[in-house]
Amino acid sequence: MSTGTSIGIGAIHCLLPDTKVAVEDLPELGMLGRDETEFALGSGVRTVGIFDETQQAPLAARACRELFAEHPGEPDTLLLVGPRAPDVLLGSDVCRVQHDAGLGSAFAFTVDGLGCTGSSAAWALARDLLLADPAREQVVITHASRPTGVDRIRFPVTVVGDAAYAMTMVRGGRPVLRAHRQETDGSFNDLFRVDYKDAPWYEWREVCQDPSRYRFGLATHSQRKLGAMVEQVLADAGVGREQVKATLMQNVTSAAYEFYSTLLGLPIHPVCNEHLAEYGHLGAMDVVLNLDRLLASGELAQGDLVLVLNNSPVAAWAVTLWEV
């Protein structure tokens, strides 16, 4: 997908907790084996942010309310990027967000099944919705990050923190979405799972069915996919690597930044590692927080290009090029 009409970001609001807990103080750490403990302490996460609220929909609704309190508007569509586990079964988390946020005029639905990559898919979908119907003016995207169950250490992936965001996509917004590519591979659909039907939520434990397949098989697959997708996105936009001012990605481990920097020949911006260390992995919110803080830093000038990479353990990948 390449640009033709100027559609970009209207506003972003990130909701981050004041309370932070050091990884070595997480209660589950003492119950882990040696490999799991070494992974958690060596992940690059120093602290994770924690909210008192245990459900995700209220956090997402609060992020929406605070966004529209500062940037008034009436969105046509509300996209909830699916959480790790829904707050309710049979009910509708996204409709609760709509109600609690007071967004009665918006049509609400969820973008789900993509893990961390959901936010990248959502902003591309929001762009397509605006292109498809000239009567639409604004799409709001929201997501809340909470762990599945009570454990925050996801071996062998990352350490999870709490947070939420809301952002809008509008005509004439900046940065402009210049080009986007996304892919999935369904063969990794069962790599992670939680046996939730026979246990209460506080006993839910995420299990990686095959850690070596995650660390090597999926990593090698992601290496090939993202490498090719970066080339495709840059070609779609008609620009070269040397024109990219900054590259961002999701925050999983510090080692991942080194891996992808070497692989792609594009250094991952330090803001990613800073947020990983302070807040932990925030799921689909990572790339939004990193982009928001980079834009607010004053480091970029109008016309600069930012490349955003995103992938997830369900084998979903996305690459987006934004023009500031």
Side-chain angles (χ1 to χ4, degrees):
M1 180 185 70
S2 60
T3 61
T5 301
S6 177
I7 293 175
I9 295 174
I12 300 175
H13 178 70
C14 294
L15 186 63
L16 296 163
D18 295 323
T19 301
K20 299 189 183 80
V21 175
V23 170
E24 56 263 32
D25 294 331
L26 291 174
E28 67 263 34
L29 192 71
M31 298 182 286
L32 299 179
R34 184 182 67 182
D35 290 347
E36 292 89 342
T37 300
E38 289 179 354
F39 164 76
L41 296 178
S43 64
V45 181
R46 293 197 307 269
T47 59
V48 290
I50 295 179
F51 279 122
D52 292 334
E53 176 62 64
T54 59
Q55 291 191 316
Q56 292 141 134
L59 289 174
R62 178 182 161 192
C64 290
R65 289 195 305 272
E66 293 181 3
L67 172 74
F68 286 110
E70 188 172 350
H71 305 278
E74 291 288 336
D76 304 285
T77 307
L78 165 64
L79 301 184
L80 174 68
V81 178
R84 294 179 179 87
D87 289 339
V88 296
L89 296 175
L90 268 183
S92 174
D93 288 353
V94 68
C95 286
R96 180 180 179 186
V97 173
Q98 179 189 33
H99 178 267
D100 290 356
L103 302 177
S105 63
F107 177 73
F109 64 98
T110 300
V111 178
D112 202 7
L114 299 175
C116 312
T117 311
S119 287
S120 297
W123 62 42
L125 177 58
R127 179 186 183 277
D128 290 349
L129 288 170
L130 291 169
L131 285 174
D133 186 352
R136 294 190 184 103
E137 295 294 335
Q138 186 180 74
V139 177
V140 59
I141 305 166
T142 188
H143 172 74
S145 169
R146 287 275 304 154
T148 302
V150 296
D151 292 348
R152 295 181 178 276
I153 297 172
R154 295 182 62 201
F155 177 79
V157 184
T158 189
V159 184
V160 174
D162 295 349
Y165 82 84
M167 64 179 286
T168 55
M169 293 287 291
V170 298
R171 304 177 195 283
R174 299 200 78 93
V176 174
L177 200 162
R178 282 282 305 274
H180 176 88
R181 293 269 182 158
Q182 57 193 32
E183 294 187 30
T184 57
D185 183 341
S187 66
F188 291 87
N189 72 87
D190 60 348
L191 189 54
F192 291 84
R193 65 175 56 225
V194 175
D195 182 11
Y196 72 94
K197 289 189 175 180
D198 298 319
W201 73 271
Y202 50 82
E203 292 182 2
W204 289 357
R205 298 293 181 271
E206 182 177 331
V207 176
C208 179
Q209 305 296 321
D210 187 345
S212 64
R213 190 176 183 224
Y214 169 75
R215 285 174 158 166
F216 303 107
L218 182 56
T220 301
H221 202 32
S222 295
Q223 172 183 340
R224 292 196 300 266
K225 285 286 187 183
L226 284 175
M229 290 169 69
V230 165
E231 295 300 330
Q232 291 167 342
V233 164
L234 294 178
D236 289 343
V239 300
R241 287 169 176 262
E242 71 282 356
Q243 294 172 264
V244 175
K245 295 296 183 181
T247 303
L248 304 173
M249 63 178 291
Q250 82 276 17
N251 309 332
V252 181
T253 64
S254 293
Y257 304 131
E258 300 173 14
F259 176 79
Y260 284 108
S261 292
T262 301
L263 162 70
L264 301 172
L266 293 166
I268 305 302
H269 195 280
V271 72
C272 300
N273 206 19
E274 292 167 11
H275 291 150
L276 174 72
E278 186 174 2
Y279 296 108
H281 173 53
L282 305 179
M285 178 171 168
D286 281 341
V287 291
V288 178
L289 174 63
N290 293 341
L291 180 59
D292 182 49
R293 296 303 161 87
L294 177 61
L295 294 172
S297 70
E299 180 179 330
L300 302 174
Q302 185 167 333
D304 283 348
L305 300 177
V306 178
L307 195 64
V308 178
L309 318 177
N310 211 348
N311 64 359
S312 75
V314 300
W317 304 272
V319 176
T320 310
L321 186 70
W322 295 95
E323 180 181 326
V324 177

